[in-house]
Amino acid sequence: MSSFLYRLGRAAFQHRIRVLLIWFAVLVVAGLGALGLGKSFDNSFSLPGTSSQQALDQLNRTFPQVSGTSAQVIFVAPDGGSVRDHAERAAIDAAVKAYGKVGQVDTVSSPFDKMIDGAIAPQDRAALISIQLDAGQGSVTSGTLDKITSITDDLRKAVPGSQASAGGEAFSATGVTISATEVVGVVIALVVLTITLGSFVAAGMPLLNAILGVMITMAGIVASTGLAKVNSSTPMLALMLGLAVGIDYALFIVSRHRDQLRDGMDPRESVARSVATAGSAVVFAGLTVMIALAGLAVARIPFLTTMGIAAAVGVAIAVCIALTLLPAMLGFFGDRLRPRQKKAAKPQRNRFFGGWVKVATKWPLVTILVIVAGLGALALPARGLELALPDNGSAPAGSPARVNYDLVAKYFGAGHNAPLIVTADIVTSDDPLGVMADLKNQIKALPGVASVPLATPNADADTGIVQVVPVDAGTSPQTKELVQRIRDLGPAFEREHGTAIAVTGSTAIQIDVSDQLGHALLPFGILVVGLSMVLLTMVFRSIVVPIKATVGYLLSVGASFGMVTLVFQHGFLSGPLNVDQQGPVLSFLPIILMGILFGLAMDYEVFLVSRMREDFVHNGNDAKAAIRSGFISSSRVVTAAAVIMFSVFAAFIPEGDSTIKSVAVGLATGVFVDAFIVRMTLVPAVLALLGKHAWQLPDWIDRRLPSFDVEGEGLLHMVQLRDWPEANSTALVHAEGLTLSIGHGARSRLIFGATQVSLQPGEVLLVDGDPVAASRLLWVLSGRMKATGGHVKTAGLVLPEEAGAVRRRTRLVDLAASSLSTPNDRVRAIVAARDSDARVIMIEHLDRLSTGPETAALVDLLHSAAASGRGVLLAAADASAVDGLLPARYLHLHLPAVREAAGQPIRQPVAVGS
């Protein structure tokens, strides 16, 4: 990873104009896609496979008149008046006729229709006009809604002193709005970046990168509305997350670059190393966030899956920009970003963070107990967390949808904002009207039913619907219980009438979505925690560190849930945070918070603890000193990153819609707790308590886990050997002190000891002796096996860091392979190696060659390699097997069995011939 990122950083620096143009082209394409494909956002919820969704899909086919979205208009008579008065009724009748002429309107129900019950409030103070549209929520045009709003305004003006408001499902928020407070968050981020990096120019780069990434992401999301249903919360979540991670990821790279420039490094080399080291951690952190967000698909809820994938794409774009566009921008400024030496600043900063870590680790057990107890107390309110999907009651105060919702709740009851639809399959009934009347009466007798305004079959008498108005709001537990009571009627009603019934409508679907989200929370939590354990074990080669990190993550999540409960259900800080209504929070909030906070928590864990581990490994395994030095080295950047993320998330709280507001509160709390309390206080205390035992990993686990080098150890090795064995070396293969052992512990077996190899263009090296040792040496030199010790370069590339590139530049032919069992197969393999573009050709088990076409092919290959300046390595158990085939001069390396090599620790080729 680090070697690939090193080359990527150098290439982006060198070809910076091309990189800039490519990203500009991506932005233009995304913008054109948004303009050409973009449609309205769709806040309707669907849940394939549930009875409510199946019933709604059936209605689309059998009762299309009620399958589209709907709107409702409430008219409130002036004080002392009645909606039945002549002037009021005339105005209402005129409005009903006007609504019927609006495009996309299918039917309009007058409150005075004798077939409809409950459309006029008690004491005749208010009346409801129901408008059924012929399109789904995402397909209703703004022109249709504007026309309905205009007619409603005319209705209000026609009766002085009256109130009239349009709302309902069709008026749910479908747009994306950005307020001034979000801009304040960006300004705070700029100030923090300037202080941290010490340069306004350097501070502007992470900000510009993040803004570009967000613009591309937002344009892509808008374009995707033309291809799929996208919730209006999706772009806001992507915006919030894209800004935060875009700034932070770029900050880590720019900070490393500035530190290296301060030490006198060349700008191009500094950019490449920054991308390789800090960029490796960025890739790891970005992958964890993307995996967690994509993991939202575990819930199997379409809108949530779309939301997670969109946010994951935004994070991916932020990572790609940080690894390509940022190095290009750094290249434009070159030496101008080199900081001035400020000797006084560093000791002051070290004293602050040194004092922090000293306090945290002085009495580690006390620190751990205080933090666990405090965060546990903050998480306690989460036990009463109530969940529901948003409706117009959670719309911003004063918005048309919210005004309509509040007026309906005031004059008709909260349940009128959450009607249920009960469908009946009456295709086999010989008395459809009687069946519908009986169903209406049975439902009306249930507790929690306010009224049953409508019960009617369709024109074909194969499907009937019953509209049910609950007593309580759609988000209340009482309405959820009512839905279950109606469903419990089904079996008995079917036995009596032979008619199956189902409960559907947006309210029932939202209840089913909330239930499924609750059931998905545990498997998603297991996925996230399990992934956390595996990834961190790979990175830190430790058992304790992943367990500690996971426990810290759970503490952060619990504190985040507790704060959300306090704010949105108990009214804590509701005034300053502009929370105008208390009640259930988003049903998908827990799973969203768990996914995002998982990725962010791993960010801080990696950036902070990786430096501690690096110092522990490199500085004599002094655990206490490694904690202090690693903390001081990385805490400044981690602090800046956390402050920036907190500011960006907090900026979405005061003016954000209810959906984003609760997510922003949870994320801001989670980031603050995780960065400053868990990672920067609890983590050092735990590591100090455990000492060197914190960095231990059983060998059997270590052998089975892949390695993820986020600290750049491999890059350091590669850079150190860049001019080895000498500058501008022409050696195709060069190795010194090369050793290979197989097995571990008591079962370890040395294959070959310290061995030296040097092969120039056009040369041939014959390796004989122990056949296992000779074969394994070729595997090591071709990048197909990792040596135990020593240094080696093949085709000018360092092993094992550039093994992939070495394999592409070499050709290894195993004449003992089962696929080369016949002479013709072996001839074809040798000829293919000759005709390849490999710079080094290696052939093992030459003993398998037969005199004739096979040996002739080998001789031809040797002549071709010598003429083209390529190198050839041959392995055989006995050199006599190739007598007469080799050129007049070649190199010979004998590798005896290890037990025969006592007293011969170093082996190197000798020249043979003249």
Side-chain angles (χ1 to χ4, degrees):
M1 174 63 73
S2 59
S3 60
F4 167 75
L5 293 177
Y6 179 82
R7 293 192 297 270
L8 180 64
R10 288 179 71 90
F13 185 101
Q14 182 175 353
H15 305 289
R16 46 190 174 271
I17 295 178
R18 187 181 304 172
V19 172
L20 184 64
L21 292 176
I22 289 173
W23 278 109
F24 179 75
V26 171
L27 177 62
V28 171
V29 170
L32 292 175
L35 292 174
L37 299 175
K39 294 182 179 179
S40 299
F41 292 100
D42 189 343
N43 283 344
S44 61
F45 300 99
S46 63
L47 194 58
T50 59
S51 61
S52 57
Q53 186 64 49
Q54 290 171 350
L56 189 61
D57 294 339
Q58 180 69 16
L59 278 182
N60 289 336
R61 296 186 294 270
T62 61
F63 219 137
Q65 298 91 333
V66 296
S67 62
T69 190
S70 62
Q72 64 181 6
V73 177
I74 183 172
F75 174 82
V76 181
D79 291 340
S82 166
V83 295
R84 297 185 187 275
D85 291 344
H86 177 73
E88 283 77 355
R89 178 158 185 167
I92 292 172
D93 289 340
V96 168
K97 292 180 180 179
Y99 291 133
K101 297 177 181 179
V102 175
Q104 294 190 300
V105 171
D106 186 76
T107 57
V108 182
S109 299
S110 169
F112 305 111
D113 192 327
K114 295 180 180 179
M115 298 294 295
I116 298 176
D117 296 331
I120 297 179
Q123 289 146 14
D124 299 341
R125 283 298 319 280
L128 280 178
I129 303 172
S130 299
I131 303 172
Q132 185 65 44
L133 297 144
D134 59 11
Q137 185 179 3
S139 302
V140 177
T141 65
S142 58
T144 297
L145 299 180
D146 290 342
K147 188 64 177 175
I148 292 174
T149 302
S150 175
I151 296 171
T152 304
D153 290 340
D154 293 340
L155 172 60
R156 177 179 50 80
K157 294 173 183 177
V159 182
S162 66
Q163 291 178 276
S165 174
E169 185 180 286
F171 282 83
S172 297
T174 57
V176 178
T177 58
I178 300 176
S179 67
T181 57
E182 283 87 359
V183 179
V184 171
V186 174
V187 172
I188 294 174
L190 180 60
V191 172
V192 173
L193 287 169
T194 304
I195 295 172
T196 303
L197 299 175
S199 165
F200 185 78
V201 174
M205 290 186 182
L207 206 57
L208 288 175
N209 277 263
I211 291 174
L212 176 64
V214 164
M215 291 172 65
I216 293 173
T217 302
M218 296 286 279
I221 291 173
V222 172
S224 67
T225 59
L227 307 173
K229 290 183 178 181
V230 180
N231 190 279
S232 64
S233 299
T234 300
M236 296 304 293
L237 179 65
L239 170 64
M240 183 167 57
L241 198 57
L243 271 178
V245 301
I247 294 173
D248 274 13
Y249 292 167
L251 167 63
F252 292 127
I253 294 175
V254 174
S255 177
R256 180 68 65 93
H257 176 58
R258 293 263 295 173
D259 288 344
Q260 292 172 167
L261 289 179
R262 183 183 291 110
D263 295 337
M265 191 177 292
D266 173 72
R268 179 179 176 182
E269 180 67 16
S270 176
V271 166
R273 292 198 190 187
S274 298
V275 173
T277 52
S280 293
V282 165
V283 170
F284 174 82
L287 281 175
T288 57
V289 177
M290 286 185 279
I291 291 171
L293 288 168
L296 296 176
V298 168
R300 293 182 298 171
I301 298 174
F303 84 90
L304 191 62
T305 301
T306 302
M307 188 179 294
I309 292 175
V313 169
V315 173
I317 290 173
V319 171
C320 292
I321 287 179
L323 299 179
T324 55
L325 181 61
L326 180 61
M329 294 176 66
L330 294 173
F332 282 112
F333 288 91
D335 262 320
R336 284 174 287 177
L337 291 177
R338 193 179 300 275
R340 298 176 182 176
Q341 297 294 333
K342 294 183 180 181
K343 297 182 180 180
K346 190 172 182 180
Q348 290 176 3
R349 185 172 67 243
N350 288 354
R351 281 199 297 270
F352 175 77
F353 289 114
W356 184 314
V357 71
K358 181 179 180 181
V359 171
T361 57
K362 188 172 185 179
W363 297 290
L365 185 59
V366 174
T367 302
I368 294 169
L369 292 176
V370 169
I371 290 176
V372 171
L375 294 182
L378 182 56
L380 283 177
R383 294 181 303 171
L385 185 64
E386 297 177 3
L387 303 174
L389 285 174
D391 56 17
N392 286 345
S394 57
S399 64
R402 176 67 177 277
V403 170
N404 179 273
Y405 183 95
D406 291 342
L407 286 174
V408 170
K410 177 180 178 180
Y411 289 100
F412 289 90
H416 270 269
N417 286 303
L420 302 170
I421 296 178
V422 180
T423 66
D425 184 4
I426 55 176
V427 66
T428 60
S429 174
D430 55 5
D431 184 17
L433 292 176
V435 169
M436 295 308 300
D438 188 29
L439 179 59
K440 175 180 178 179
N441 292 332
Q442 290 193 36
I443 292 174
K444 199 170 185 178
L446 293 175
V449 175
S451 64
V452 183
L454 181 68
T456 182
N458 64 353
D460 296 330
D462 58 10
T463 302
I465 62 166
V466 179
Q467 187 180 38
V468 182
V469 176
V471 171
D472 300 288
T475 58
S476 68
Q478 292 82 359
T479 300
K480 180 178 178 180
E481 292 171 3
L482 173 60
V483 170
Q484 189 57 49
R485 289 192 197 104
I486 298 174
R487 286 173 173 166
D488 291 342
L489 283 178
F493 193 84
E494 186 170 6
R495 286 194 299 270
E496 181 180 356
H497 296 283
T499 298
I501 66 171
V503 186
T504 187
S506 60
T507 302
I509 290 176
Q510 289 179 12
I511 289 172
D512 289 344
V513 168
S514 297
D515 284 345
Q516 186 152 326
L517 281 167
H519 295 149
L521 200 56
L522 180 60
F524 181 75
I526 293 173
L527 170 69
V528 167
V529 171
L531 180 66
S532 167
M533 295 286 289
V534 173
L535 290 177
L536 290 175
T537 304
M538 287 168 49
V539 172
F540 295 114
R541 323 308 289 182
S542 164
I543 290 292
V544 173
V545 170
I547 294 175
K548 173 263 306 171
T550 302
V551 172
Y553 159 71
L554 294 176
L555 288 172
S556 300
V557 169
S560 177
F561 289 172
M563 180 58 72
V564 169
T565 306
L566 287 173
V567 172
F568 291 93
Q569 290 183 207
H570 301 289
F572 178 68
L573 295 178
S574 59
L577 298 181
N578 194 26
V579 178
D580 55 70
Q581 188 176 26
Q582 281 74 53
V585 298
L586 286 172
S587 53
F588 56 84
L589 175 74
I591 201 169
I592 288 276
L593 285 185
M594 287 179 67
I596 296 176
L597 285 179
F598 165 71
L600 301 184
M602 296 307 103
D603 287 0
Y604 301 132
E605 182 77 14
V606 168
F607 289 119
L608 189 65
V609 180
S610 61
R611 185 62 67 92
M612 296 180 185
R613 179 179 180 273
E614 183 179 350
D615 290 353
F616 175 78
V617 172
H618 294 165
N619 298 332
N621 293 348
D622 186 340
K624 188 172 182 179
I627 293 170
R628 176 179 173 81
S629 60
F631 185 91
I632 292 174
S633 299
S634 55
S635 55
R636 177 176 62 93
V637 176
V638 170
T639 298
V643 170
I644 289 170
M645 279 207 176
F646 177 83
S647 302
V648 171
F649 292 148
F652 282 82
I653 297 173
E655 300 299 331
D657 65 44
S658 61
T659 302
I660 292 300
K661 192 188 293 283
S662 57
V663 174
V665 168
L667 288 177
T669 303
V671 165
F672 181 87
V673 168
D674 195 83
F676 297 113
I677 299 178
V678 172
R679 307 301 158 190
M680 293 180 65
T681 309
L682 179 64
V683 166
V686 173
L687 295 178
L689 184 66
L690 297 174
K692 64 180 182 180
H693 301 291
W695 307 106
Q696 294 177 349
L697 181 69
D699 287 341
W700 65 272
I701 298 178
D702 191 25
R703 292 194 302 268
R704 288 166 173 79
L705 282 178
S707 178
F708 198 109
D709 181 21
V710 299
E711 298 150 11
E713 293 179 4
L715 170 69
L716 181 61
H717 179 240
M718 188 179 72
V719 172
Q720 287 174 341
L721 297 185
R722 183 167 52 197
D723 293 327
W724 177 84
E726 60 187 8
N728 301 317
S729 171
T730 59
L732 291 175
V733 178
H734 191 88
E736 293 182 5
L738 202 61
T739 62
L740 177 67
S741 298
I742 295 179
H744 296 269
R747 298 183 178 182
S748 176
R749 183 166 66 93
L750 184 66
I751 301 301
F752 55 80
T755 302
Q756 299 185 152
V757 176
S758 184
L759 185 70
Q760 296 292 329
E763 292 185 336
V764 176
L765 169 63
L766 172 64
V767 185
D768 70 347
D770 182 6
V772 173
S775 177
R776 296 301 184 269
L777 177 62
L778 265 60
W779 288 16
V780 169
L781 297 178
S782 63
R784 289 163 174 83
M785 179 177 282
K786 184 177 179 180
T788 307
H791 300 307
V792 58
K793 289 177 75 173
T794 299
L797 302 170
V798 179
L799 289 171
E801 285 74 24
E802 298 179 284
V806 169
R807 289 193 292 268
R808 291 190 295 271
R809 289 167 173 78
T810 59
R811 190 68 171 258
L812 178 63
V813 179
D814 181 5
L815 296 178
S818 59
S819 59
L820 303 181
S821 57
T822 67
N824 287 337
D825 292 334
R826 290 190 285 271
V827 169
R828 281 195 294 269
I830 295 172
V831 172
R834 179 200 67 189
D835 295 339
S836 70
D837 58 357
R839 296 181 61 189
V840 182
I841 299 172
M842 306 183 190
I843 302 177
E844 57 177 321
H845 297 112
L846 281 179
D847 318 77
R848 298 298 182 96
L849 285 181
S850 301
T851 303
E854 297 175 58
T855 54
L858 176 63
V859 171
D860 189 33
L861 180 148
L862 295 175
H863 285 305
S864 173
S868 59
R870 294 185 288 174
V872 179
L873 284 87
L874 305 173
D878 185 1
S880 63
V882 289
D883 279 346
L885 302 179
L886 301 182
R889 183 177 177 83
Y890 64 92
L891 298 172
H892 180 213
L893 175 64
H894 179 68
L895 292 176
V898 172
R899 62 180 178 273
E900 301 171 2
Q904 302 179 25
I906 297 180
R907 305 179 183 86
Q908 53 189 358
V910 295
V912 176
S914 58

